[in-house]
Amino acid sequence: MAKAEKTTEEDLQANVWKLIWYNGIFSVFSSIAQLGLFDTYLFIMAGNSNTAVGWAESISGLSQIVLAGPAGVLTDTVSRSKILRWCAYLSVLAVGASIAGIGFDNFPIIYVSLFIFGAYTALQNTASFALYSDSIPQGSRAKWLSRVSIVNQLGYGAGPFFSLFLFGYFGNQWKLSVLHVVLIIGFLGMIPANLFLVNLKDAQHEDGGAEASGAFSNLKYARVVPWLICSLDVVTAIGAGMTVKFFPLFFKQDYGLNPGQIQLLFAVYGLSFGFFTWLCEKAAAKLGRVQAGVLFATAGVVCLFLLAYLRWLPSVLVVFVIRGAFANAIYPIDRSILMDFVPSNERGRWNAAESVSSMSWSGSAVIGGYLMDAYDYRQTFVTPRASMRWLPS
């Protein structure tokens, strides 16, 4: 990586808090603009086609996968703070293209905007997690990665609450005109969040990677751990891509939930992530990070199978929320293990590798869309996950 400028402990703390603020604000508006409502908008605009939703998600995800390698190389060779400044500027272009595509109901423009957002995400995820990890002292990463994850998930819960009020004001109906307004407000809110990426400072901890990772320092095959984590995440993510993206449409089509009800559900869904992430952190302190991760992920898989077979709506809603909370709670634990086993000058490429693994689910979203159009939601929920290992989704 390019030589880091002289930084103080105050600079490192400022990095941490700026990135926490960025994640909190961005997740609020991203949850409005890029999650269930956006998928439902595409579904309606395409004439109730799950396949169209799958293709859109795949364009964004595959662009991230293609650009993850170059992003990793840049992060390890160029100033990480400079890359994040580039991301702040790129976000304006991505937001502008998204608003244009939605305003004209134009699929080609939307696909271009998704590609730009994919490039933005590839650069931002890789550089920000590397810089965030660099700014945290060795031995404290699990705690601080859990904190940023909790803030992130609370944002994803707060966003649907905000959109619930928007639907109450503009009309609680699945109309394109209403969706236009809510989605555009969500996209515009992303720009202020990116201001926190403009004035960060480069930092580097010479902590020796696995050799300074406490209880793991004497492992003979310590360098295998990052490869193992990323490989297993890829397998899990492929299965997740065929299921997770389609949950809002499942509730809309099979149970007839209106926009306000969907937003209320996903507000509770997102807020539960924060609480279960905190529980997972406490469990990891008692049991160990790997043991806690296996426990929570196994519970998430069991809940997914229950979700496929339950029919009574209240029980489906409860299991849906708990499933997502269990499955997503282990993400910071997973990432903290990865960061503790790689040195600072390799964190860019390993964050890029983790982006490839986590976004490989987007490539399989096309398959999920075809399966759901050909069969139904519940059958598709069970089929891919039956053969998948339990890691975050």
Side-chain angles (χ1 to χ4, degrees):
M1 188 183 72
K3 186 177 180 181
E5 60 184 277
K6 182 67 175 178
T7 53
T8 64
E9 286 301 316
E10 288 75 17
D11 292 328
L12 300 181
Q13 286 187 337
N15 282 348
V16 169
W17 285 107
K18 286 176 183 177
L19 288 170
I20 287 176
W21 274 103
Y22 162 78
N23 276 276
I25 297 173
F26 189 85
S27 63
V28 169
F29 292 99
S30 176
S31 66
I32 297 171
Q34 293 182 311
L35 297 183
L37 289 180
F38 184 69
D39 298 330
T40 306
Y41 163 73
L42 295 176
F43 179 81
I44 295 172
M45 191 171 69
N48 293 351
S49 171
N50 289 295
T51 304
V53 176
W55 273 111
E57 182 59 35
S58 292
I59 289 173
S60 176
L62 291 174
S63 68
Q64 292 180 52
I65 292 172
V66 169
L67 295 170
V73 172
L74 277 174
T75 299
D76 286 338
T77 56
V78 177
S79 164
R80 290 168 182 171
S81 61
K82 182 181 292 186
I83 292 173
L84 292 172
R85 283 197 297 274
W86 297 344
C87 289
Y89 306 143
L90 186 60
S91 70
V92 177
L93 177 61
V95 167
S98 298
I99 291 174
I102 292 169
F104 291 106
D105 290 326
N106 186 289
F107 264 111
I109 299 177
I110 289 173
Y111 289 152
V112 170
S113 72
L114 289 170
F115 182 85
I116 299 171
F117 259 115
Y120 165 84
T121 304
L123 286 168
Q124 183 274 129
N125 276 348
T126 303
S128 66
F129 268 103
L131 184 57
Y132 187 78
S133 296
D134 282 347
S135 300
I136 301 170
Q138 180 76 6
S140 300
R141 291 198 183 100
K143 178 180 73 175
W144 282 99
L145 285 169
S146 290
R147 287 182 179 180
V148 74
S149 180
I150 290 171
V151 169
N152 196 48
Q153 300 300 354
L154 290 176
Y156 278 112
F161 270 122
F162 181 32
S163 59
L164 182 62
F165 287 105
L166 293 177
F167 277 113
Y169 183 79
F170 292 107
N172 190 20
Q173 302 177 65
W174 293 116
K175 288 185 176 180
L176 290 180
S177 59
V178 176
L179 292 173
H180 284 168
V181 177
V182 177
L183 290 172
I184 288 173
I185 290 173
F187 277 112
L188 288 173
M190 295 179 181
I191 295 177
N194 279 272
L195 295 177
F196 287 97
L197 302 181
V198 173
N199 193 30
L200 297 166
K201 298 291 182 66
D202 287 313
Q204 187 172 9
H205 289 295
E206 300 296 338
D207 51 39
E211 289 71 28
S213 57
F216 298 99
S217 60
N218 295 321
L219 287 178
K220 183 177 180 180
Y221 300 107
R223 294 294 288 173
V224 175
V225 173
W227 290 99
L228 181 63
I229 290 174
C230 289
S231 299
L232 294 174
D233 281 352
V234 168
V235 175
T236 304
I238 291 172
M242 301 183 197
T243 57
V244 175
K245 196 65 177 175
F246 299 92
F247 280 134
L249 297 175
F250 163 64
F251 286 109
K252 175 184 179 294
Q253 295 298 101
D254 283 23
Y255 289 99
L257 298 192
N258 62 42
Q261 292 169 330
I262 292 284
Q263 292 312 294
L264 182 60
L265 172 61
F266 275 83
V268 175
Y269 187 64
L271 293 174
S272 71
F273 289 1
F275 176 64
F276 273 68
T277 298
W278 176 80
L279 287 180
C280 189
E281 180 186 352
K282 298 302 180 184
K286 297 288 186 181
L287 305 174
R289 288 183 288 183
V290 175
Q291 292 85 345
V294 171
L295 176 64
F296 273 62
T298 302
V301 171
V302 171
C303 287
L304 185 64
F305 278 95
L306 288 174
L307 187 63
Y309 293 106
L310 292 172
R311 292 294 186 275
W312 187 46
L313 181 58
S315 63
V316 171
L317 295 176
V318 170
V319 172
F320 168 72
V321 170
I322 294 174
R323 184 221 68 86
F326 271 124
N328 286 277
I330 64 176
Y331 175 76
I333 299 296
D334 190 45
R335 183 59 69 94
S336 71
I337 294 172
L338 178 66
M339 291 296 98
D340 277 348
F341 274 90
V342 296
S344 176
N345 62 358
E346 294 181 9
R347 288 194 183 123
R349 70 197 72 172
W350 282 108
N351 273 306
E354 185 68 7
S355 295
V356 170
S357 65
S358 63
M359 290 312 302
S360 58
W361 71 284
S362 297
S364 64
V366 171
I367 301 172
Y370 279 115
L371 288 173
M372 289 174 187
D373 282 337
Y375 301 102
D376 61 29
Y377 291 101
R378 283 187 168 86
Q379 184 173 343
T380 309
F381 290 164
V382 173
T383 302
R385 299 296 290 195
S387 61
M388 296 296 154
R389 174 197 173 274
W390 32 86
L391 274 176
S393 58

